Amino acid sequence: MKIKSFHPPQRVLMGPGPSDVSPRVLAAMARPTIGHLDPKFVELMDEMKSLLKYAFQTQNELTMPVSAPGSAGMETCFVNLVEPGDKVVVCQNGVFGGRMQENVERCGGIAVMVQDDWGRAVDPQKLEDALKANPDAKVVAFVHAETSTGALSDAQALVEVAHRHGCLTIVDAITSLGGSPVMVDAWDIDAIYSGTQKCLSCTPGLSPVSFSPRAQEKIRNRKSKVQSWFMDLNLVMGYWGGATKRAYHHTAPINALYGLHEALVMLQEEELENAWARHQRNHLALRAGLEAMGLDFVVPENERLPQLNAISVPQGVDEAAVRALLLSDYQLEIGAGLGAMAGKVWRIGLMGHASNPRNVRLCLGALDDVLGRMQAPITRGVAVDAANLHLAA
Amino acid sequence: MKIKSFHPPQRVLMGPGPSDVSPRVLAAMARPTIGHLDPKFVELMDEMKSLLKYAFQTQNELTMPVSAPGSAGMETCFVNLVEPGDKVVVCQNGVFGGRMQENVERCGGIAVMVQDDWGRAVDPQKLEDALKANPDAKVVAFVHAETSTGALSDAQALVEVAHRHGCLTIVDAITSLGGSPVMVDAWDIDAIYSGTQKCLSCTPGLSPVSFSPRAQEKIRNRKSKVQSWFMDLNLVMGYWGGATKRAYHHTAPINALYGLHEALVMLQEEELENAWARHQRNHLALRAGLEAMGLDFVVPENERLPQLNAISVPQGVDEAAVRALLLSDYQLEIGAGLGAMAGKVWRIGLMGHASNPRNVRLCLGALDDVLGRMQAPITRGVAVDAANLHLAA
């Protein structure tokens, strides 16, 4: 055998996540491990809650990171809020709405699917119609920022419709948090989950979540136990809750939490509004370059996520070969299509630490080179110029 | 607000875990993040599987780390192997057998509890009697190394009894893996889970698991879907499995996996047998010192885990005050009692990187000082001498 230490290459991560991680976050993760009940670690936990409340723009006491990746954050929301027999309206406009359906059904709930085209925002009118047809629905779930297509939905409008029909709301903010406005209290969201490896510039492995007092009440008054011991918020809160004495639930991933803490300190230093503006600015520059080349976006302009740019693969181009060349010749990772969009699109991320002018230029220049080598039908030599006009403004 | 970067103190971790993490592991975690589908990361995954097979002493193809702490590894075993209505015999001799019961019941299974005294090994005869009384039982679950008491059970004997009665076996090896022999194939274990933060010298947050072909067959032939999407091995295996093309399931915790890879490389360098011998040697030295002071072990000598030493708190001593002084004056963490043993015992870990002669001497000297200050009824000034005799041998 004799396997050696692993030394990863230095990539530029412009896919759908993980995105580039700040060196400050990596350095934080390498600090000495302390115990999960150490008084100094309890201080970190309190700060973490404050920092996450700021990121989510909420006063929810039940705001914390789940000790596992975003998929587990999603499942934490569903297993706690959905009881067997509960009807849940799920708005689907991409891959992750389908995963929500899986979650509902595995909790013994009944999923009522509302379908929108992939690459479009969720239509509030369709949700309204579905809720009129299903007056016994208890929960509405939708994806704020569809990572599979780059579509941004109007979370505030969707939550308003759900509440008018007496439903709680579960919102997927994996790709939006830190990159686009996410206003948990102002939009009155009941349960929300995110990931650390997108616009928070952190490594993957944790899932920030937040629950409104209304959601907490539902959890407290459940008729059945939460089916997952690991994700049961009644238990998790004994450790993360505001109590003076913290009860052991599971062993927290200490060093991963150091990293998230540092990422959130950086977000606080930059300030949310500035982070959102930065994501928008770099998106516009990238867009200008892509459009100058003649590449088309999948999502209509007013429904686009600035941090995730899905573009159509030009006719006759081997999309996997392009990604392989970008990786080998530029150490640059962009994403492939997912689900129904596999083979048809690329997903270019400008998330968190990776959303910067250097990456915009690098990506455009690299695409120009590689697509040119593959004789793709694009306009060459104009992409970076077009981006520069935006970056200079 | 203005929360600053977090700089943890440099502790010596001699509790029940997390234990001291090797600087090599911390350095690995700070290496640049790459994508979870990057060809270089796929190489790391293949190496990880080989390294875990070595650690578990198994040829099981379904051997990998769950992307969450040990509690999620436990739940992964139960949600995949227990279907609603299945009867599961759970042997309990401490806190973690109780958690197994919770898991069985939340899967819709029927838990038949076999109780042994806390601080003692599980009695194979009691298991035999329970299986005779419950011929319809399908699974037997027990804890190999009870982290709450420091008792080591005879896993091979228990598995043999279970198989004789046609049951699959789920084994908790959180605290044993890397510190005491764990022979998955030789002992014919069907499902096993561990943690990274004990004898593997890694940070907490991942849970290595392994499943025998027999367990895999049961999972493939389930009548119902696994209730957890995140932990469904049918899905997880699309990513971790041996297939040439890896399907996205969830985003793996890249940097945490760098750390585990490095920890397992170190275990391979030291070799398992040497790691087991080191844990035993340091345990004997610590034991000599503790006994010379007059402190008593909770577990009888032939049932003791070398890596977790539970000792009774002397009469009249404020156990929490002792731990607080060890932390403030020596930066030394030892563990409190858990569950029924809270307030009555200390748990002194000598796990992984933390199992070394310096730590043995440090802990004994510190206890001698702090217990002396509290006028505990111990023999002073003899502990380190007694340990030295063992360490010099």
Side-chain angles (χ1 to χ4, degrees):
Chain A
M1 191 162 57
K2 289 309 162 209
I3 291 170
K4 294 197 178 67
S5 297
F6 181 72
H7 290 277
Q10 175 89 48
R11 307 288 199 206
V12 176
L13 300 179
M14 295 182 70
S19 58
D20 283 349
V21 175
S22 161
R24 277 177 61 178
V25 171
L26 293 174
M29 289 182 70
R31 292 187 183 127
T33 307
I34 60 176
H36 54 291
L37 296 169
D38 193 298
K40 286 289 175 192
F41 190 70
V42 171
E43 288 177 26
L44 173 134
M45 291 168 73
D46 287 337
E47 292 183 354
M48 178 76 81
K49 284 175 69 171
S50 296
L51 290 163
L52 282 177
K53 284 182 188 177
Y54 171 68
F56 276 126
Q57 293 286 287
T58 184
Q59 295 304 315
N60 288 339
E61 266 311 304
L62 186 36
T63 302
M64 51 163 212
V66 170
S67 301
S71 309
M74 177 190 285
E75 192 161 324
T76 297
C77 291
F78 283 91
V79 294
N80 281 278
L81 288 178
V82 179
E83 293 203 72
D86 282 357
K87 193 178 267 191
V88 180
V89 175
V90 176
C91 304
Q92 179 171 17
N93 65 338
V95 167
F96 293 94
R99 192 176 292 183
M100 286 178 153
Q101 177 181 12
E102 278 286 340
N103 270 271
V104 171
E105 291 172 356
R106 287 170 194 242
C107 295
I110 300 152
V112 176
M113 300 303 291
V114 178
Q115 297 290 345
D116 277 289
D117 288 343
W118 288 36
R120 296 300 307 269
V122 173
D123 181 352
Q125 186 58 49
K126 283 193 189 170
L127 173 60
E128 177 90 49
D129 296 345
L131 288 170
K132 278 185 186 148
N134 294 278
D136 54 338
K138 295 192 171 165
V139 177
V140 166
F142 64 88
V143 178
H144 182 219
E146 242 304 339
T147 318
S148 64
T149 68
L152 178 67
S153 291
D154 185 342
Q156 185 171 22
L158 294 167
V159 170
E160 192 274 322
V161 173
H163 284 169
R164 198 146 30 74
H165 291 270
C167 287
L168 290 175
T169 48
I170 297 177
V171 179
D172 178 325
I174 296 259
T175 291
S176 46
L177 188 68
S180 304
V182 175
M183 315 293 285
V184 170
D185 286 359
W187 299 349
D188 209 11
I189 292 168
D190 298 297
I192 191 165
Y193 57 90
S194 189
T196 48
Q197 78 279 14
K198 313 276 185 179
C199 298
L200 297 182
S201 315
C202 188
T203 58
L206 298 170
S207 179
V209 295
S210 184
F211 294 83
S212 73
R214 207 185 290 118
Q216 287 185 58
E217 196 191 328
K218 163 120 185 185
I219 296 168
R220 268 195 305 272
N221 295 324
R222 284 177 62 99
K223 292 186 286 288
S224 55
K225 266 193 188 176
V226 172
Q227 68 188 26
S228 170
W229 186 90
F230 177 62
M231 301 180 197
D232 185 344
L233 287 172
N234 294 301
L235 304 176
V236 174
M237 277 306 285
Y239 180 56
W240 274 99
T244 45
K245 188 171 162 61
R246 299 197 186 254
Y248 163 66
H249 175 250
H250 65 275
T251 304
I254 307 296
N255 292 61
L257 290 163
Y258 293 167
L260 179 56
H261 184 279
E262 185 68 17
L264 292 169
V265 166
M266 291 176 67
L267 182 62
Q268 173 203 256
E269 287 171 2
E270 181 178 19
E271 297 184 5
L272 268 177
E273 294 75 7
N274 296 329
W276 300 335
R278 174 170 54 82
H279 281 86
Q280 184 64 20
R281 196 166 56 243
N282 291 316
H283 159 69
L284 290 177
L286 182 74
R287 185 191 73 172
L290 293 170
E291 288 180 352
M293 297 171 86
L295 294 170
D296 298 320
F297 276 78
V298 171
V299 177
E301 184 165 353
N302 60 345
E303 298 174 4
R304 273 179 212 159
L305 275 170
Q307 56 271 49
L308 189 63
N309 303 271
I311 54 174
S312 299
V313 176
Q315 282 286 334
V317 171
D318 178 346
E319 76 84 17
V322 170
R323 287 187 293 111
L325 276 174
L326 291 173
L327 200 65
S328 64
D329 291 8
Y330 289 89
Q331 299 288 322
L332 172 61
E333 178 180 275
I334 68 169
L338 201 60
M341 293 200 160
K344 299 176 188 165
V345 307
W346 290 305
R347 291 180 295 158
I348 303 177
L350 281 170
M351 298 183 182
H353 190 66
S355 177
N356 63 61
R358 182 200 76 142
N359 280 5
V360 170
R361 295 185 176 103
L362 170 73
C363 179
L364 291 171
L367 275 175
D368 186 84
D369 168 22
V370 169
L371 287 172
R373 281 195 247 170
M374 303 191 85
Q375 303 188 305
I378 59 159
T379 308
R380 301 218 39 202
V382 294
V384 178
D385 290 346
N388 280 338
L389 285 176
H390 273 267
L391 293 170
Chain B
M1 189 162 59
K2 291 308 161 206
I3 290 170
K4 293 197 179 68
S5 297
F6 181 74
H7 291 277
Q10 175 89 50
R11 307 288 199 206
V12 176
L13 300 180
M14 296 181 69
S19 58
D20 283 348
V21 174
S22 161
R24 278 178 60 178
V25 171
L26 293 174
M29 288 181 70
R31 293 189 183 127
T33 306
I34 60 176
H36 53 291
L37 296 170
D38 193 296
K40 286 288 174 191
F41 190 70
V42 171
E43 288 178 25
L44 172 135
M45 291 168 72
D46 287 336
E47 291 183 356
M48 177 77 81
K49 285 176 70 173
S50 295
L51 290 163
L52 282 177
K53 284 181 187 176
Y54 172 68
F56 276 127
Q57 292 286 288
T58 183
Q59 296 302 316
N60 288 339
E61 266 312 303
L62 187 34
T63 301
M64 53 164 208
V66 170
S67 300
S71 309
M74 177 191 283
E75 192 161 323
T76 297
C77 291
F78 283 91
V79 293
N80 281 280
L81 288 177
V82 179
E83 291 204 72
D86 281 357
K87 192 177 268 190
V88 180
V89 175
V90 176
C91 305
Q92 179 171 18
N93 63 338
V95 166
F96 293 93
R99 190 175 294 184
M100 285 177 154
Q101 177 181 13
E102 278 285 340
N103 269 273
V104 171
E105 291 172 356
R106 287 170 192 241
C107 295
I110 300 151
V112 176
M113 301 302 292
V114 178
Q115 298 291 345
D116 277 288
D117 289 343
W118 288 35
R120 296 300 306 271
V122 173
D123 181 352
Q125 185 58 48
K126 284 193 189 171
L127 173 60
E128 177 90 48
D129 295 344
L131 288 170
K132 279 184 186 147
N134 294 277
D136 54 338
K138 295 192 171 165
V139 177
V140 166
F142 65 87
V143 178
H144 183 218
E146 243 301 341
T147 318
S148 64
T149 68
L152 177 67
S153 291
D154 184 342
Q156 184 170 22
L158 293 167
V159 170
E160 191 275 321
V161 173
H163 283 170
R164 197 149 27 76
H165 290 269
C167 287
L168 290 176
T169 48
I170 298 177
V171 179
D172 179 326
I174 297 258
T175 292
S176 46
L177 188 67
S180 305
V182 174
M183 315 293 284
V184 170
D185 286 359
W187 299 349
D188 209 10
I189 291 168
D190 297 298
I192 190 165
Y193 57 90
S194 188
T196 48
Q197 77 280 13
K198 312 277 184 179
C199 299
L200 297 182
S201 315
C202 190
T203 58
L206 297 170
S207 178
V209 296
S210 184
F211 294 84
S212 72
R214 209 186 287 119
Q216 288 185 58
E217 195 190 330
K218 163 123 185 183
I219 296 169
R220 269 195 303 273
N221 295 325
R222 283 178 64 99
K223 290 184 287 288
S224 55
K225 268 192 186 176
V226 173
Q227 69 188 25
S228 170
W229 186 91
F230 177 62
M231 301 180 197
D232 184 344
L233 288 173
N234 294 301
L235 303 177
V236 174
M237 277 307 285
Y239 181 56
W240 274 98
T244 46
K245 187 169 163 60
R246 297 194 187 256
Y248 163 66
H249 174 251
H250 66 275
T251 304
I254 308 294
N255 292 62
L257 289 163
Y258 293 167
L260 178 57
H261 183 277
E262 186 67 18
L264 292 169
V265 166
M266 291 176 66
L267 182 62
Q268 173 202 256
E269 287 170 2
E270 181 178 19
E271 297 184 3
L272 270 175
E273 295 75 8
N274 296 329
W276 300 335
R278 173 170 55 82
H279 281 87
Q280 184 65 19
R281 195 166 58 243
N282 290 317
H283 159 71
L284 291 176
L286 182 74
R287 185 190 75 172
L290 292 170
E291 288 180 349
M293 295 171 86
L295 293 170
D296 297 321
F297 276 77
V298 170
V299 177
E301 184 164 353
N302 60 345
E303 298 174 5
R304 274 178 211 159
L305 274 170
Q307 57 270 50
L308 189 63
N309 302 271
I311 54 175
S312 300
V313 176
Q315 281 286 335
V317 171
D318 178 346
E319 75 85 17
V322 170
R323 285 186 296 111
L325 278 173
L326 291 173
L327 200 64
S328 63
D329 291 8
Y330 288 90
Q331 300 288 322
L332 172 63
E333 178 180 277
I334 68 169
L338 200 60
M341 293 199 160
K344 299 177 189 164
V345 307
W346 289 305
R347 290 180 296 159
I348 303 177
L350 280 170
M351 298 183 183
H353 191 66
S355 178
N356 63 60
R358 182 201 77 143
N359 280 6
V360 170
R361 296 185 176 102
L362 170 73
C363 179
L364 291 171
L367 274 174
D368 187 85
D369 168 19
V370 168
L371 287 172
R373 282 194 247 167
M374 304 192 83
Q375 302 188 308
I378 58 158
T379 308
R380 302 219 37 203
V382 295
V384 179
D385 290 347
N388 280 339
L389 284 176
H390 271 267
L391 293 169

